[in-house]
């Protein structure tokens, strides 16, 4: 467990949310999968009959909404995903001298966060990009965005699956505390759709694409009327095989298909549900208690957005009968699971209405397992 007793005065002064232009409803997604499955089963009828090939299962929009709470997701490009003969997005390769797609997504969110925080690129001296996947290993996506914005300082990428945003925010806080940076731009461009098997009914509905960004700085440099002071950060990881992505650059040397069986996102969703909910609730309860208050004194929980039933259970464990959508807002109904970005989307959309003195917690939980959280208080600047 890594725990950090913070000096006061480090704030989140602005966040940005960039939503991709295209949306896919459950009904559209299911229609594509079912057309694909019907065609596959017809073309492989003999092999399925003799037991050599497994028939593809059909999906259902009712199941998806009931099991996950997801009704819609945003994606960079829906056409290829909904083509029963393709079942993956079509994202044309870009030349080396063009901004890559993930950097473009991140840049869009970064500009919105800078605007909200009243900051110019020259006010920032570090850029951290955290995401579940990076479009390439190097040069870092963070350095590409740093260059596009004209920021002087340092930038790096980091991956902790669903906790990439909270862990990156914790890195930003640590950098400011140690003096290695004064103002940090944390960017989370979650380009999830290329890693989904859209022909697999267990996982085709889970994810969406999005980008978010957050400005972290000292209160003294903050140019907004109010900001969220970071009271504490807490991170924990426990190894689990229940959520895996085995796609790897080593596939070529292992003589295996990098996108073959088991190489895309897969999970044992039931086990994740059972194991992660109590871990997350205990983590959050102990964090706020260490900071001197009780879960019921937290005005808003910006929880990780993977599954509505998980969030309802965790909210209930933390607040009992006082749990409500107002105190633990849901955004996954529209955005689906957006990896590490979900709790930052919730924060972005649901923090302005709270009065000064309100307390809130941003929290992620997911693959690794990893849990990351930041306890906040709204202050006048
Ligand atoms: N339509 C119809 N039926 C279906 C479908 C479907 N689409 N999918 C499954 N079924 C069937 C199953 O086959 C099963 O049938 P049977 O009983 O005959 O075997 C039945 O419905 C029940 O299936 P499940 O047990 O799987 O259903 P659950 O009720 O458990 O719901 C969920 C499945 C929604 C996946 C649920 O378990 C869940 O959400 N769990 C939590 C998972 C979670 O939070 N995971 C986090 C993953 S993300 C993460 O950590 C970050 C990784 C970063 C990746 C970023 C980009 C890729």
């Amino acid at each position: 467990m890594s725990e950090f007793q913070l000096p006061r005065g480090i704030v989140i002064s602005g966040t940005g949310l960039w939503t991709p232009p295209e949306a896919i409803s459950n009904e559209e997604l299911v229609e594509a999968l079912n057309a694909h499955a019907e065609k596959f089963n017809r073309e492989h009828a003999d092999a399925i009959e003799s037991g050599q090939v497994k028939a593809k299962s059909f999906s259902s929009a009712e199941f998806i909404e009931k099991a996950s709470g997801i009704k819609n997701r945003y994606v960079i490009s829906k056409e290829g995903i909904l083509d029963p003969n393709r079942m993956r997005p079509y994202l044309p390769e870009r030349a080396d001298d063009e901004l890559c797609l993930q950097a473009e997504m991140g840049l869009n969110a970064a500009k919105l966060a800078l605007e909200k925080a009243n900051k110019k690129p020259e006010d920032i001296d570090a850029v951290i990009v955290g995401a579940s996947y990076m479009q390439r290993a190097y040069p870092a996506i963070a350095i590409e965005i740093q260059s596009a914005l004209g920021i002087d300082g340092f930038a790096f990428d980091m991956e902790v699956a669903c906790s990439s945003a909270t862990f990156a925010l914790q890195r930003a806080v640590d950098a400011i505390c140690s003096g290695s940076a004064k103002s940090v731009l944390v960017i989370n461009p979650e380009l999830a759709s290329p890693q989904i098997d859209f022909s697999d009914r267990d996982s085709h509905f889970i994810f969406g694409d999005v980008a978010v960004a957050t400005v972290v700085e000292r209160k003294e440099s903050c140019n907004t009327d109010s900001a969220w002071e970071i009271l504490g950060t807490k991170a924990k990881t426990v190894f689990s095989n229940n959520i895996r992505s085995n796609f790897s650059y080593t596939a070529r040397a292992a003589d295996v298909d990098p996108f073959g069986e088991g190489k895309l996102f897969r999970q044992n969703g039931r086990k994740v549900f059972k194991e992660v909910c109590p871990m997350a609730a205990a983590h959050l309860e102990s964090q706020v208690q260490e900071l001197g208050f009780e879960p019921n004194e937290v005005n808003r929980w910006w929880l990780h957005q993977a599954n509505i039933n998980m969030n309802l259970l965790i909210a209930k464990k933390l607040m009992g009968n006082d749990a409500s959508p107002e105190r633990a807002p849901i955004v996954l109904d529209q955005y689906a699971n957006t990896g590490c970005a979900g709790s930052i989307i919730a924060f972005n959309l649901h923090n302005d209405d709270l009065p000064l003195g309100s307390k809130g917690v941003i929290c992620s939980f997911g693959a690794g397992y990893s849990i990351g959280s930041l306890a906040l208080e709204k202050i006048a600047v």
Side-chain angles (χ1 to χ4, degrees), residues 58-60 63-64 67-68 132-133 161-162 192 195-196 201-202 204-207 243 265 267 269-270 272-273 306-307 310 337 339 366-367:
F58 295 92
S59 186
S60 116
F63 171 88
I64 295 171
S68 70
S132 303
Y133 295 95
C162 288
Q195 258 291 311
I196 317 287
R201 77 164 177 174
D202 289 340
H204 77 127
F205 59 89
I206 296 179
F207 295 99
I243 314 170
F265 167 87
Q267 70 169 345
R270 279 276 163 95
V272 174
F273 198 113
N307 181 296
M310 272 177 118
N337 182 339

Side-chain angles (χ1 to χ4, degrees), residues 98-116:
E98 290 178 278
L99 202 65
C100 81
L101 175 59
Q102 200 173 20
E104 183 181 297
M105 294 168 67
L107 185 61
N108 292 335
K111 285 178 178 167
L112 295 169
L114 289 171
E115 195 183 320
K116 179 84 178 169

Side-chain angles (χ1 to χ4, degrees), residues 345-364:
I345 302 175
F347 176 80
N348 178 285
L349 295 175
H350 301 285
N351 80 82
D352 282 341
D353 61 306
L354 290 170
L356 294 177
S358 301
K359 288 190 173 64
V361 177
I362 293 176
C363 177
S364 65

Side-chain angles (χ1 to χ4, degrees), residues 204-270:
H204 77 127
F205 59 89
I206 296 179
F207 295 99
D209 301 326
V210 82
V212 293
T214 308
V215 176
V216 184
E217 61 180 317
R218 287 198 179 281
K219 188 183 164 193
E220 301 89 73
S221 63
C222 185
N223 292 330
T224 51
D225 294 339
S226 64
W228 286 92
E229 181 170 35
I230 301 170
L231 304 176
T233 63
K234 186 164 174 141
K236 185 165 174 73
T237 50
V238 179
F239 185 74
S240 166
N241 270 324
N242 285 326
I243 314 170
R244 283 195 74 102
S245 172
N246 283 342
F247 165 78
S248 168
Y249 79 99
T250 58
R252 181 169 167 258
D255 298 323
V256 294
D257 174 0
F259 309 106
E261 185 80 25
K263 297 293 185 289
L264 300 174
F265 167 87
R266 66 185 157 89
Q267 70 169 345
N268 187 335
R270 279 276 163 95

Side-chain angles (χ1 to χ4, degrees), residues 4 86-87 114-115 129 184 282 316-318 331 336 343 356 375:
F4 195 61
R86 183 173 172 88
M87 305 303 280
L114 289 171
E115 195 183 320
V129 165
V184 184
K316 184 105 184 152
K317 278 180 190 284
L318 291 167
V331 302
S343 53
L356 294 177

Side-chain angles (χ1 to χ4, degrees), residues 99-358:
L99 202 65
C100 81
L101 175 59
Q102 200 173 20
E104 183 181 297
M105 294 168 67
L107 185 61
N108 292 335
K111 285 178 178 167
L112 295 169
L114 289 171
E115 195 183 320
K116 179 84 178 169
N118 263 325
K119 287 273 150 241
K120 298 212 161 20
E122 53 266 35
D123 301 323
I124 304 291
D125 51 11
V127 177
I128 306 175
V129 165
S132 303
Y133 295 95
M134 292 299 161
Q135 196 172 342
R136 59 163 191 272
Y138 49 84
I141 307 296
I143 303 178
E144 194 177 2
I145 300 175
Q146 175 197 5
S147 163
L149 284 168
I151 289 172
D152 190 19
F154 66 89
F156 62 89
D157 293 345
M158 52 177 279
E159 293 178 35
V160 202
C162 288
S163 291
S164 301
T166 53
F167 278 44
L169 286 166
Q170 194 183 35
R171 300 286 71 70
V173 168
D174 292 356
I176 293 171
C177 280
S178 73
S180 64
K182 290 195 291 292
S183 302
V184 184
L185 182 56
V186 172
I187 309 172
N188 312 105
E190 282 288 26
L191 179 52
S193 57
Q195 258 291 311
I196 317 287
D197 181 353
F198 285 100
S199 73
D200 167 36
R201 77 164 177 174
D202 289 340
S203 59
H204 77 127
F205 59 89
I206 296 179
F207 295 99
D209 301 326
V210 82
V212 293
T214 308
V215 176
V216 184
E217 61 180 317
R218 287 198 179 281
K219 188 183 164 193
E220 301 89 73
S221 63
C222 185
N223 292 330
T224 51
D225 294 339
S226 64
W228 286 92
E229 181 170 35
I230 301 170
L231 304 176
T233 63
K234 186 164 174 141
K236 185 165 174 73
T237 50
V238 179
F239 185 74
S240 166
N241 270 324
N242 285 326
I243 314 170
R244 283 195 74 102
S245 172
N246 283 342
F247 165 78
S248 168
Y249 79 99
T250 58
R252 181 169 167 258
D255 298 323
V256 294
D257 174 0
F259 309 106
E261 185 80 25
K263 297 293 185 289
L264 300 174
F265 167 87
R266 66 185 157 89
Q267 70 169 345
N268 187 335
R270 279 276 163 95
K271 276 200 175 155
V272 174
F273 198 113
K274 276 208 188 102
E275 292 172 5
V276 169
C277 287
M279 273 171 65
H283 174 103
L284 291 166
E285 185 177 23
S286 69
Q287 182 182 22
V288 298
Q289 284 174 345
E290 282 153 18
L291 289 165
F293 48 98
E294 290 299 321
N296 243 324
E297 295 173 74
V298 175
N299 303 84
R300 196 151 291 164
W301 299 89
W302 300 286
L303 296 177
H304 182 59
Q305 303 283 320
N307 181 296
I308 196 170
N309 301 316
M310 272 177 118
N311 287 27
L312 293 177
L313 185 61
I314 292 169
K316 184 105 184 152
K317 278 180 190 284
L318 291 167
M319 293 177 277
N321 289 336
D322 292 338
S324 69
E326 218 249 314
R327 289 183 68 189
I330 295 292
V331 302
L332 62 88
D333 57 336
Q334 289 309 309
Y335 281 86
N337 182 339
T338 48
C340 75
S343 53
I344 311 297
I345 302 175
F347 176 80
N348 178 285
L349 295 175
H350 301 285
N351 80 82
D352 282 341
D353 61 306
L354 290 170
L356 294 177
S358 301

